[in-house]
Amino acid sequence: MTTTDRRATLIVFEGIDGSGKTTLSNAVAAALRAQGLAVAHVREGGNFASAVTQGIREFGRDAKNVALSPHAELFVYLAREIQLLDEATAPALAANDVVIADRFFYTAELLATAGRGLTPAEVEPVVAAAKRGVEPDLVVLVDVDPHVARARRKVSKVGKYDPRPPSRKGLAGVGLQFRLRDGYLARAAREPERWIVVDNTEAELQTVIDGLIAAVGARRAR
């Protein structure tokens, strides 16, 4: 399915772990529904709308699979997004006014290139093949200092029992998050007509939400 086959506006939230993109994407979905729009969020509440996608995600984050090579990791992440696109996102685009995704194929692309050091020449063609022409109307890069993001994640886990094993990305240290942040900012600079950058380091939540609702409205009007 290509972008010309759908009627919904596809909004993607991207950013490093702990940036606040999940909180913002859920808040924007709720605000748009309050305006009377039909909104599908394919990762509402942090859980993918596809059980298969969720299973692939757990495999990819599991520290027991720390030996996963950068090339293999790329295809695991692409499989996650392909399944979600086929099972949830594409049907939602045909039946709603707005579809929101918390992460998209950019995650796989930038983890491979900015994060793991693979070349764009070997990564971009397989990412393009996986997307099959589906492009978001708006990408919201939720930007935050990686040290702040790391601290937020630690605070969020206080008093909460998580039965899952540690994250592979977490074991890589904060340096990976700095590389990913730089990669995201560079990607946003390449496509300013599609990407907007939201500084979420010390921003007031409602102000950010209001700005994003205005940006979505402007993009829908186009």
Side-chain angles (χ1 to χ4, degrees), residues 189-210:
R190 279 171 51 188
E191 287 189 276
E193 71 284 354
R194 190 188 306 275
W195 288 64
I196 60 173
V197 180
V198 174
D199 184 352
N200 197 36
T201 302
E202 297 180 351
E204 201 278 321
L205 180 61
Q206 191 57 53
T207 300
V208 174
I209 294 170
D210 291 344

Side-chain angles (χ1 to χ4, degrees), residues 161-183:
Y161 171 68
D162 189 347
R164 300 177 302 175
S167 162
R168 286 175 56 256
K169 281 197 296 182
L171 293 177
V174 73
L176 174 62
Q177 300 302 318
F178 275 99
R179 295 195 299 276
L180 286 174
R181 184 195 189 193
D182 290 343

Side-chain angles (χ1 to χ4, degrees), residues 31-120:
L32 292 174
R33 288 181 185 130
Q35 293 182 357
L37 295 175
V39 179
H41 191 327
V42 296
R43 198 183 177 188
E44 193 136 22
N47 294 312
F48 287 108
S50 160
V52 175
T53 297
Q54 190 68 35
I56 298 172
R57 191 245 179 185
E58 295 304 326
F59 174 86
R61 76 175 300 279
D62 194 336
K64 291 187 296 184
N65 302 317
V66 69
L68 199 64
S69 73
H71 286 90
E73 180 183 59
L74 169 62
F75 282 91
V76 168
Y77 272 69
L78 288 177
R80 184 181 86 175
E81 297 302 334
I82 290 168
Q83 181 66 31
L84 187 65
L85 175 62
D86 291 347
E87 186 179 346
T89 308
L93 286 170
N96 292 274
D97 298 312
V98 176
V99 176
I100 292 176
D102 178 353
R103 295 202 181 284
F104 194 59
F105 290 92
Y106 303 111
T107 297
E109 176 187 342
L110 293 171
L111 178 59
T113 54
R116 306 301 191 192
L118 301 185
T119 66

Side-chain angles (χ1 to χ4, degrees), residues 130-159:
K131 288 193 294 186
R132 287 161 288 165
V134 178
E135 298 285 355
D137 298 286
L138 178 66
V139 184
V140 179
L141 172 56
V142 184
D143 184 48
V144 69
D145 182 279
H147 289 303
V148 173
R150 191 179 183 92
R152 285 176 180 172
R153 288 174 63 79
K154 288 182 177 180
V155 170
S156 70
K157 293 178 181 179
V158 173

